[in-house]
Amino acid sequence: MSTTTAKDSGLKAPKTTMPTTTASLGTKRKLICFSDFDGTIFMQDTGHILFNAHGCGSEQRELLDEQIKSGERSFRDVSEEMWGSLNVPFADGFEALKDGLEIDPAFKEFHQFCLNNNIPFNVISAGLKPVLRSVLDHFIGEEAASNIDIVANDAEISEDGSQWKPVWRHDNDLGHDKSLSIAEYKESAQLESEDGTIPMIIFIGDGVSDLPAARHSDVLFARRGLRLEEYCVEHKLPYIPFDTFADIQKEISKIAKADEEKTKGEGLPSIFNPRANMWRRASSKKSVPIFASMTPREEKVFIWPETFSELKPVQEGVSVQA
């Protein structure tokens, strides 16, 4: 769940840009995409729409969001209160989502581009999987949505809508630690293609809460004008800004072709996360242990933070900023 979206910040939904081709890239290296949902694929936050319409209301929700930002309460604790405030059957709540959500105007074309190039596209979110699945089914169609894996929290929702209870993926203050989910994916996936090259991991997001996952990626896309971009600029972290998924598609096409021509991306060091690029550049299974043995030394100079949403003790008279 993103705490700042384009609509929340006063930004207008991006205009549709010129269509880009969805043809095959024809490159050898496998690409894998992970994307945030709220504020990234959709301009608004699914939870915020539901809470404002059928739960605690916008004023209380904003107060609860501030408790997360200040560290007074954990994301998981506050989220349980927000979801628990809902009292609406799922179908009725979904009507508010259909009316209140705007999808990125170029997402459908980008998803088709991924399908044409055999690029796995995974949603990774702190929201509730049943909600996100229904939203995707409605906005892009069930057939297209069936090709998208959603990594999110499950939920127990009573038939009369009097109880909405998150079923958390992880037993920690985040409830769903996106960095753990991507790490789990890496462990379970076949990370090498037939010619021995290692896939390029791409992450797309909008908020600072996306950075724990983004640190495991090779290339980070941040929605322009929102908190993730601000953080990257402030801390001089490598990223590529985007207004719509058409921008992402164009950049991925450029990166993939340059990667093909310049020995697995050696000519593009400025856009890569240095820690993730360490393992990506290994060209065979035999070389992976060598890079793995370098991890402690690499960690000392690695600039990407380990976590961005930790519970902090609040001292009396002291204002704690996120």
Side-chain angles (χ1 to χ4, degrees), residues 29 200 255 258-272 277 280-281:
R29 186 186 301 282
M200 183 185 298
I255 292 167
D259 179 72
E260 189 82 358
E261 296 169 358
K262 297 187 178 181
T263 318
K264 304 178 182 64
E266 292 293 342
L268 298 168
S270 63
I271 64 170
F272 286 121
N277 196 32
R280 188 188 67 82
R281 289 179 298 177

Side-chain angles (χ1 to χ4, degrees), residues 61-224:
R61 177 186 59 76
E62 290 171 4
L63 290 175
L64 292 172
D65 275 340
E66 286 301 318
Q67 292 180 352
I68 298 174
K69 293 177 183 177
S70 70
E72 179 182 348
R73 296 173 66 188
S74 71
F75 177 88
R76 175 172 173 166
D77 185 29
V78 169
S79 294
E80 286 184 345
E81 181 173 335
M82 288 182 179
W83 289 111
S85 73
L86 292 177
N87 187 6
V88 60
F90 185 90
D92 294 341
F94 188 65
E95 290 300 314
L97 294 175
K98 289 194 293 186
D99 293 338
L101 286 172
E102 301 169 80
I103 193 170
D104 183 289
F107 178 74
K108 291 182 182 179
E109 289 78 9
F110 176 79
H111 182 234
Q112 187 59 53
F113 165 80
C114 290
L115 292 175
N116 291 351
N117 285 280
N118 297 314
I119 299 173
F121 184 88
N122 308 274
V123 164
I124 185 165
S125 171
L128 303 186
K129 189 173 182 177
V131 174
L132 307 188
R133 176 59 70 192
S134 295
V135 167
L136 282 177
D137 286 348
H138 173 76
F139 279 88
I140 71 171
E142 292 184 21
E143 183 177 353
S146 67
N147 294 292
I148 298 177
D149 187 22
I150 298 177
V151 185
N153 303 299
D154 214 326
E156 295 176 356
I157 304 171
S158 62
E159 187 174 350
D160 64 357
S162 61
Q163 182 183 50
W164 290 61
K165 182 180 179 181
V167 178
W168 302 107
R169 286 184 60 85
H170 300 122
D171 186 18
N172 55 31
D173 286 340
L174 293 173
H176 179 197
D177 187 332
K178 297 178 182 180
S179 65
L180 288 178
S181 289
I182 290 187
E184 290 164 2
Y185 184 98
K186 281 184 177 181
E187 290 177 3
S188 63
Q190 183 178 353
L191 289 181
E192 296 198 47
S193 62
E194 293 180 0
D195 65 352
T197 57
I198 295 177
M200 183 185 298
I201 305 295
I202 295 166
F203 189 86
I204 307 163
D206 72 299
V208 175
S209 63
D210 294 322
L211 273 171
R215 71 186 181 87
H216 287 284
S217 66
D218 299 304
V219 180
L220 169 63
F221 287 93
R223 186 173 283 285
R224 196 187 304 274

Side-chain angles (χ1 to χ4, degrees), residues 220-261:
L220 169 63
F221 287 93
R223 186 173 283 285
R224 196 187 304 274
L226 297 184
R227 189 64 187 99
L228 179 56
E229 181 184 41
E230 292 173 359
Y231 192 96
C232 289
V233 171
E234 181 182 351
H235 294 273
K236 297 181 173 60
L237 304 180
Y239 80 102
I240 301 174
F242 75 95
D243 293 306
T244 77
F245 273 78
D247 301 326
I248 298 173
Q249 182 176 325
K250 290 175 182 176
E251 291 300 324
I252 287 177
S253 297
K254 293 177 185 177
I255 292 167
K257 290 176 182 178
D259 179 72
E260 189 82 358
E261 296 169 358

